[in-house]
Amino acid sequence: MLRNTLNAVVDNYEADYTLNNPDTLTKYKTAAQISHKVLETVSGTSSPDCFPALLPLITITGWCVEGAKVLSLCQKGDKLLEEEIAKVYKGKKISKGISHPTTVSPSSYITPYTPLSTDVEEAATLLKLNEPVKIQLGAQIDGLGTIVCDTILVKADKDEDGEVSGRDADLMLASYYANELLLRLMIPPGLLASGSEEDKMKAAAEKRPTQSKISQMLETVAKSYGCNLVEGTTSWLFERNEIEGKKKLVLNPPDKEGRSDGVPEVGDVWGVEMGVSLGSGKVKTIDQRPTLHRRTTITYQLKRPSSRQILSEMVKKFGNFPFSLRQLDDERAAKVGVVECVRSNVLRQYEVVTDKDNAPVARLLTTIAITKNGLVRLGAPPALDVSLYKTDKKITDEQILKILEQPTARSTGAKGKNRKKKKKAAKKPVDEDEEESSDDE
């Protein structure tokens, strides 16, 4: 009788993957920190204040110099991710892997780009001096994925550093400040309010900005630097084994179908994306092979053996997370087998999208957790050192400047006391200490 009761309890047990379970945030953070040891191999880029989640990204940006081959960068990035993923949660029966393959998108490319070795012309793509390059990658532990994307300007040498001016500076500053504004607009009203209970209740009752208002404010930031938002840039709710959840926020939608759905709430994990262009912000799909795919929820009896083989390998290796055809065992067979999978909607292919004017584009993606103490940046691009970017343009909107001055998390006592013992760090522009928010939900 007791055994039957215990078996029934096990059968009915459902693991708690919400942020109410401390293990959930730990797994998210582990996914974001899988390349912690990479910092030790990067000369001159490590810092005690550097987020571990950025370490794989910092390493790859160190590789992104003039003349580097995009394909090689993607391959090396994935190898590094796999090596570090293998070092965590050893001997435990939980899934772990890459939540997003390493992609390196050249100047005008908007969507993640990862060429194939069997496409000779694309495989030879090289990085050009001073072009803005978007690097995106991610890892997952137990289906809890974090993804991060950063934009850098390609240098002649990895050790090169110095001031940036002109339109390059405008683009980088516009994307940075627009991203910081968007992150603050993701915070539920009143969450970080101070004062009396009446004041907090009043703040919590404030009306959330609409999709249109958010786009308008971000467009104001972009236009302050002579730039435009990339149309249709979408932020998604992250769930277990899902990076496009039930909620989304669509910026500057190109049509009525691009509507947002749901609002950010405490307990949510989001992938917050920002895209800014030196052109009009309009997009176009180019005639180039899509190499990035993702499984859908549709089931279909595939007819071709090659298609069934590809689907089986994909499900085993990547589950519901995006993958590149170059990650499969036989790239040539994958190019054939994936056709039926896409045609039958078993797999979704990510079209290659660029700026309509072929203008340079910057894109950032931050994985955040919304806790009772504010935002936890699980995976985020490094804060831009704005002192290195010189331009005569600036943000003048008083409402936006006021929002940018606000913190994204509430300072907690324990960590605050620890920080007092340390040497006072240089103040970061706009952004506050990422460790202000507590791990407690």
Side-chain angles (χ1 to χ4, degrees), residues 134-206:
K134 285 72 68 179
I135 304 117
Q136 183 163 317
L137 55 86
Q140 60 90 6
I141 302 295
D142 201 10
L144 304 172
T146 59
I147 302 175
V148 60
C149 177
D150 189 24
T151 296
I152 65 165
L153 298 174
V154 176
K155 301 176 181 178
D157 182 86
K158 67 178 181 180
D159 296 322
E160 180 187 341
D161 201 358
E163 295 183 351
V164 177
S165 60
R167 296 298 282 153
D168 289 339
D170 293 338
L171 178 65
M172 299 297 283
L173 289 169
S175 59
Y176 172 66
Y177 284 119
N179 187 59
E180 289 298 323
L181 177 61
L182 177 57
L183 289 173
R184 284 158 175 78
L185 294 175
M186 297 291 290
I187 302 173
L191 182 63
L192 302 179
S194 58
S196 66
E197 287 301 317
E198 184 179 350
D199 292 335
K200 293 178 182 179
M201 291 178 63
K202 184 178 180 180
E206 290 182 1

Side-chain angles (χ1 to χ4, degrees), residues 8 10 17 20 78 108 144 150 159 234 270 297 315 364 371 389:
V10 171
Y17 288 103
N20 293 324
D78 283 354
S108 64
L144 304 172
D150 189 24
D159 296 322
T234 305
W270 282 74
T297 57
V315 171
L364 304 172
T371 74
Y389 295 82

Side-chain angles (χ1 to χ4, degrees), residues 232-246:
T233 298
T234 305
S235 299
W236 289 94
L237 176 72
F238 282 7
E239 300 172 322
R240 185 170 183 254
N241 295 316
E242 180 58 76
I243 61 168
E244 294 182 4
K246 300 174 183 177

Side-chain angles (χ1 to χ4, degrees), residues 35-51:
S35 295
H36 177 69
K37 290 186 178 180
V38 176
L39 179 61
E40 300 172 6
T41 67
V42 184
S43 176
T45 58
S46 61
S47 167
D49 297 325
C50 175
F51 308 128

Side-chain angles (χ1 to χ4, degrees), residues 131 144 252 311 314 365 381 397 401 418:
E131 71 171 327
L144 304 172
N252 195 16
L311 183 62
M314 181 277 302
L365 194 154
D397 187 287
L401 290 172
N418 290 336

Side-chain angles (χ1 to χ4, degrees), residues 107-109 277 279-280 282 284 286 354-361:
S107 180
S108 64
Y109 282 60
S277 170
S280 65
K282 302 295 183 181
K284 65 178 179 182
I286 62 174
T354 68
D355 184 88
K356 189 174 183 180
D357 308 317
N358 294 321
V361 171

